[in-house]
Amino acid sequence: MPDFDDLLPAETVSPEATIALGRRLAEHLEPGDVLALIGDLGAGKTHLVKGICAGLGVPIETITSPTFTIANEYTGAAGPVYHLDAYRIERPEEFFELGYETYFFGDGLCLIEWPERVAALIPEEAILLRLTHGSGDTRRIEQVEIG
Ligand code: ADP
Ligand code: MG
């Protein structure tokens, strides 16, 4: 379990600051980790993922929201990085068909937005972060317990 104690909770004041935070979080993540990001639309989940992926050596301009594709796969310096967005998942079967085992139990790092949509399938060991809107462009990012 990575230790984010020196980084979280955090409050960012711009999209760029959330990306910068993601870069720093990336230093604490390892292949095989599952990082689940909960938060409303526009809370900054995808920006945080961009920062994490960029921190892992993925060219930032190639990182896009997988809202429609459900899963994007990147190659980071330490191996595959899976970026999932379960927002449009309506039935668990859709997630099975994607081959979710590779994402959750393979050797890559898995970052998943809207984990609530597939809550029953999220591994127990997953790290859960919650992003919340503050006033204006502020966003709070904190680690929370599963359950
Ligand atoms: P999500 O994936 O949670 O739906 P996105 O990262 O796609 O959110 O979008 C966040 C939106 O909020 C973007 O339009 C971004 O410009 C805006 N924004 C404003 N302030 C922030 C902030 N501090 N961190 C992240 N995004 C911010
Ligand atoms: Mg998103």
Side-chain angles (χ1 to χ4, degrees):
M1 174 72 81
D3 178 9
F4 296 129
D5 285 356
D6 54 334
L7 296 173
L8 301 178
E11 200 166 85
T12 66
V13 295
S14 67
E16 295 74 24
T18 297
I19 290 173
L21 176 66
R23 287 181 181 271
R24 299 188 64 196
L25 293 175
E27 295 169 16
H28 297 261
L29 293 167
E30 294 182 345
D33 286 344
V34 176
L35 185 68
L37 304 172
I38 62 174
D40 292 341
L41 274 176
K45 301 180 294 298
T46 299
H47 278 74
L48 196 67
V49 167
K50 282 189 183 187
I52 292 169
C53 291
L56 296 170
V58 180
I60 195 159
E61 67 278 5
T62 65
I63 304 157
T64 55
S65 175
T67 305
F68 295 97
T69 53
I70 313 283
N72 286 346
E73 190 170 337
Y74 308 111
T75 304
V81 182
Y82 307 116
H83 177 193
L84 311 185
D85 184 336
Y87 187 67
R88 285 173 190 279
I89 298 276
E90 283 168 8
R91 296 168 300 115
E93 295 76 38
E94 296 171 43
F95 213 57
F96 296 152
E97 285 159 18
L98 279 178
Y100 79 99
E101 297 94 336
T102 307
Y103 302 135
F104 285 168
F105 304 109
D107 295 331
L109 171 68
C110 181
L111 310 168
I112 176 165
E113 302 184 38
W114 293 101
E116 307 95 310
R117 295 284 201 267
V118 290
L121 301 174
I122 299 289
E124 267 181 43
E125 307 74 30
I127 307 144
L128 195 58
L129 302 188
R130 178 190 291 139
L131 291 83
T132 41
H133 286 253
S135 59
D137 285 350
T138 62
R139 301 287 191 274
R140 180 180 166 86
I141 299 101
E142 62 192 331
Q143 186 168 359
V144 294
E145 295 300 319
I146 289 192

